[in-house]
Amino acid sequence: MDVSAQLKAQANKYKPITVEKPVPLEFDLGLLAAFDTNALDDTKLKTNTDDYLKEYNRDAVQLLFNEIFKLPVLVQDASVFVELPEVKTILPREKRLPKAKPPTRWEKFAKTKGIQKQKKSKMIFNEATGEWVSRWGYKGVNDDGANDWLIPVSANDDPFQDQFAKRREAKKQRVSKNEARHQRNLDETAAKDKNSSATAILDPKSTRKAELYKEIAISKTATASIGKFDKPLEGEPKIKGIKRKFEPTIVVDLKQEKEKSLNILKKVVSKTGGSNVLNIRKAIAKTKKS
């Protein structure tokens, strides 16, 4: 039984792993990249573009896989790995380098005092209860004695004052103070980010001042005179706006004045221009309403 035809048909389904190129390809296996500098065949590219490009790319990928299989193999946990070499091609960044963040108040203070950051564990042993508790937060050791059932009163304190309420009020004040400091730091950071491209970095007060002037200018437009007759505030900057341009009262060029008058007359009288510029029905209706 001759099965050579079937074997040949089966073999034709798969492409050979050997590919011949006039110019050898350059490989950067660290990036799994292959660079083909061979010229394209213009005739095949114009007649059958898709098939030609698929075949061209298939040959390049086959050569890339041939180079990958030459690398040392590592077998671990029933899996096969290939150790890739270091990257040779230096690729440009997609985005520019991030700018360095300005130091916070605490970072400046720690640098001045020479304080070094030390990592602390999240859990700490509480000798009073004999349990491991969180260093911060809910049910932590820094709860300021919220679970104390007895508070000693010193000689300088009022013995008739509720010490528990006093402690809660003091904690609320500390929390509000910390929130105010946090908001101040956020405002300073936002002001620095907003004006980073400028020559001088504005502080939060200057930023807030500019915002207030802007709000004042917007509020003045609510009056009937659009703020023309409003009394200016002390130190208020002059608002710059678009000034109306008026035609000169004394006509120098009579020909130009004549052309302007004729243009206005054409728009009002002509059928084509008059229907678009002046609507007589709407004008009559507005006159009746008023």
Side-chain angles (χ1 to χ4, degrees):
M1 182 178 180
D2 188 10
V3 293
S4 59
Q6 287 81 359
L7 293 175
K8 187 177 181 181
Q10 184 70 17
N12 291 334
K13 291 182 180 180
Y14 303 100
K15 300 290 184 179
I17 62 172
T18 56
V19 179
E20 297 294 335
K21 289 279 188 178
V23 180
L25 273 65
E26 296 180 2
F27 301 97
D28 190 349
L29 299 181
L31 295 175
L32 297 178
F35 304 97
D36 190 355
T37 58
N38 290 279
L40 298 174
D41 191 343
D42 294 337
T43 306
K44 294 181 180 179
L45 186 63
K46 291 179 181 179
T47 55
N48 197 353
T49 306
D50 294 339
D51 293 340
Y52 175 67
L53 291 178
K54 287 180 182 178
E55 184 70 20
Y56 193 87
N57 291 324
R58 180 263 162 197
D59 294 342
V61 173
Q62 181 63 60
L63 292 174
L64 177 61
F65 273 98
N66 293 346
E67 293 295 323
I68 292 173
F69 276 99
K70 295 178 183 178
L71 297 175
V73 178
L74 177 64
V75 180
Q76 185 177 1
D77 297 335
S79 301
V80 181
F81 301 92
V82 174
E83 295 181 3
L84 296 178
E86 295 183 359
V87 178
K88 296 186 294 184
T89 307
I90 300 176
L91 299 177
R93 288 178 59 89
E94 180 186 0
K95 299 178 181 178
R96 60 184 179 183
L97 289 171
K99 296 181 180 179
K101 294 183 179 179
T104 60
R105 284 178 174 267
W106 165 251
E107 291 175 348
K108 292 179 181 177
F109 175 78
K111 186 177 180 180
T112 305
K113 299 296 183 179
I115 302 173
Q116 295 182 357
K117 187 177 180 180
Q118 296 179 356
K119 189 175 181 180
K120 298 180 180 180
S121 60
K122 294 183 180 180
M123 305 299 291
I124 191 172
F125 185 75
N126 190 351
E127 296 180 357
T129 59
E131 297 177 353
W132 288 91
V133 295
S134 300
R135 186 183 292 272
W136 306 279
Y138 179 65
K139 291 185 178 181
V141 293
N142 64 333
D143 58 354
D144 298 332
N147 298 324
D148 293 346
W149 64 275
L150 180 65
I151 300 176
V153 181
S154 62
N156 298 327
D157 294 338
D158 186 4
F160 299 101
Q161 186 181 10
D162 188 354
Q163 299 299 324
F164 294 96
K166 181 181 178 181
R167 180 177 286 181
R168 287 193 298 268
E169 186 64 26
K171 185 174 182 180
K172 287 181 181 178
Q173 291 179 2
R174 288 196 301 271
V175 171
S176 61
K177 188 176 181 180
N178 289 334
E179 289 178 353
R181 287 178 176 177
H182 178 62
Q183 186 61 38
R184 180 193 61 188
N185 293 337
L186 292 178
D187 294 341
E188 289 181 357
T189 306
K192 289 178 182 178
D193 293 340
K194 185 177 180 180
N195 302 283
S196 58
S197 59
T199 55
I201 298 177
L202 300 177
D203 55 347
K205 291 184 179 179
S206 302
T207 306
R208 181 58 183 160
K209 189 176 180 181
E211 291 177 356
L212 287 174
Y213 282 144
K214 186 178 179 180
E215 292 172 0
I216 291 171
I218 294 172
S219 63
K220 282 189 174 183
T221 58
T223 59
S225 62
I226 316 180
K228 184 177 182 181
F229 302 103
D230 293 350
K231 186 178 179 180
L233 300 175
E234 184 178 356
E236 181 184 357
K238 188 176 180 181
I239 302 173
K240 296 181 181 180
I242 301 173
K243 295 183 179 180
R244 293 182 60 186
K245 187 177 180 181
F246 298 94
E247 297 293 336
T249 54
I250 301 173
V251 180
V252 179
D253 192 355
L254 296 176
K255 186 177 180 182
Q256 186 178 2
E257 181 67 18
K258 183 178 179 181
E259 288 180 358
K260 289 182 179 179
S261 302
L262 289 174
N263 290 334
I264 296 171
L265 185 62
K266 286 179 182 178
K267 290 180 179 180
V268 175
V269 177
S270 64
K271 294 181 180 180
T272 57
S275 59
N276 294 329
V277 177
L278 181 62
N279 194 326
I280 300 175
R281 292 183 180 179
K282 287 185 178 180
I284 295 171
K286 287 184 178 180
T287 306
K288 290 181 178 180
K289 287 181 181 180
S290 59

